[in-house]
Amino acid sequence: MAITKVTSGVRTLGAGEVTTTNILDGTIANADVDASADIALSKLATTGTASGSTFLRGDGAWAAAGGDNSPAYEAARHSDQSISDDVMTKVDVNVEIFDTDSAYDPTTNYRFTVPSGEGGKYFVYANIIFHSSHSSSDIVNLEMNVKKNGSTAFVSEFKPNSSYGGQTITVGASAILILSAADYLELYGLFNNVQGSTYTNIKHATIGAYKLIGI
């Protein structure tokens, strides 16, 4: 077997420095590594943008550490809304508490619309405070309904019995919904009172949602 002689340049190495010169056929140029120095970003094969809030993943991409639960919003109605007796009615939830992605409309449609690219699982919660100005024994049933794209997503109902002693009733619920971009959520309420519409209204309402991460 023929043995090929390897000639290598030699020089004195500094502390923490490794040098290779003209290995084998000389096609590899000098490569110095100083253990005390930073590696320039230009020397890394990466995608994305490095910043103080990102880290370098194993696939060479810069990514944000962790994540946050946005889009997220909460909206409320603090004033009375009159509703027709025994009619499922959209609640005009007209006060934004917060809205990370400007995805809630508090003035026209009173709805949250999932922004582009933000589909996923969302925790959604809502409640309505109903009021009857007549005897509580006349209340047949109350219903809170969260609708997705106009259809019921989840619902909560209250049917008092003869021993119920109040005229202000809170009905609420929460659920995890799978939403896609452009899906929208709205809040509806129903108050069935044997005395009719004169004695029924919504005193307060809240609806909110936030995107879940890691599931």
Side-chain angles (χ1 to χ4, degrees):
M1 179 177 68
I3 298 177
T4 302
K5 181 179 180 180
V6 178
T7 302
S8 177
V10 178
R11 68 181 176 87
T12 302
L13 302 179
E17 183 184 26
V18 178
T19 299
T20 304
T21 305
N22 300 330
I23 296 177
L24 299 181
D25 59 2
T27 58
I28 301 178
N30 290 348
D32 295 339
V33 178
D34 187 342
S36 65
D38 294 332
I39 299 175
L41 290 178
S42 61
K43 301 296 184 182
L44 300 176
T46 64
T47 60
T49 303
S51 72
S53 61
T54 59
F55 71 97
L56 185 60
R57 300 191 319 194
D59 62 359
W62 292 100
D68 57 48
N69 295 104
S70 62
Y73 84 102
E74 183 172 289
R77 182 177 182 90
H78 301 304
S79 58
D80 290 0
Q81 179 179 339
S82 296
I83 58 176
S84 297
D85 183 59
D86 200 20
V87 176
M88 187 64 68
T89 305
K90 181 192 255 187
V91 184
D92 297 341
V93 189
N94 56 4
V95 178
E96 281 186 313
I97 308 303
F98 61 86
D99 185 5
T100 62
D101 288 59
S102 299
Y104 184 75
D105 173 7
T107 58
T108 305
N109 293 314
Y110 309 103
R111 66 174 55 159
F112 168 77
T113 303
V114 179
S116 176
E118 295 293 352
K121 297 181 179 69
Y122 283 74
F123 181 81
V124 184
Y125 56 95
N127 66 71
I128 298 176
I129 299 177
F130 295 95
H131 176 76
S132 170
S133 57
H134 205 266
S135 170
S136 60
S137 62
D138 291 331
I139 298 173
V140 179
N141 69 292
L142 310 169
E143 185 176 316
M144 183 219 72
N145 193 317
V146 173
K147 294 191 176 186
K148 168 187 169 182
N149 302 333
S151 299
T152 297
F154 63 93
V155 64
S156 179
E157 187 176 22
F158 177 76
K159 292 184 177 182
N161 57 39
S162 58
S163 64
Y164 182 76
Q167 292 175 285
T168 300
I169 309 100
T170 301
V171 182
S174 61
I176 295 175
L177 302 181
I178 299 175
L179 303 176
S180 301
D183 283 348
Y184 60 90
L185 300 176
E186 299 167 308
L187 180 61
Y188 282 74
L190 179 145
F191 195 146
N192 187 358
N193 187 308
V194 297
Q195 296 295 331
S197 300
T198 305
Y199 300 95
T200 62
N201 69 288
I202 291 172
K203 296 292 290 183
H204 179 88
T206 301
I207 184 169
Y210 54 86
K211 187 177 182 180
L212 298 174
I213 58 176
I215 64 170

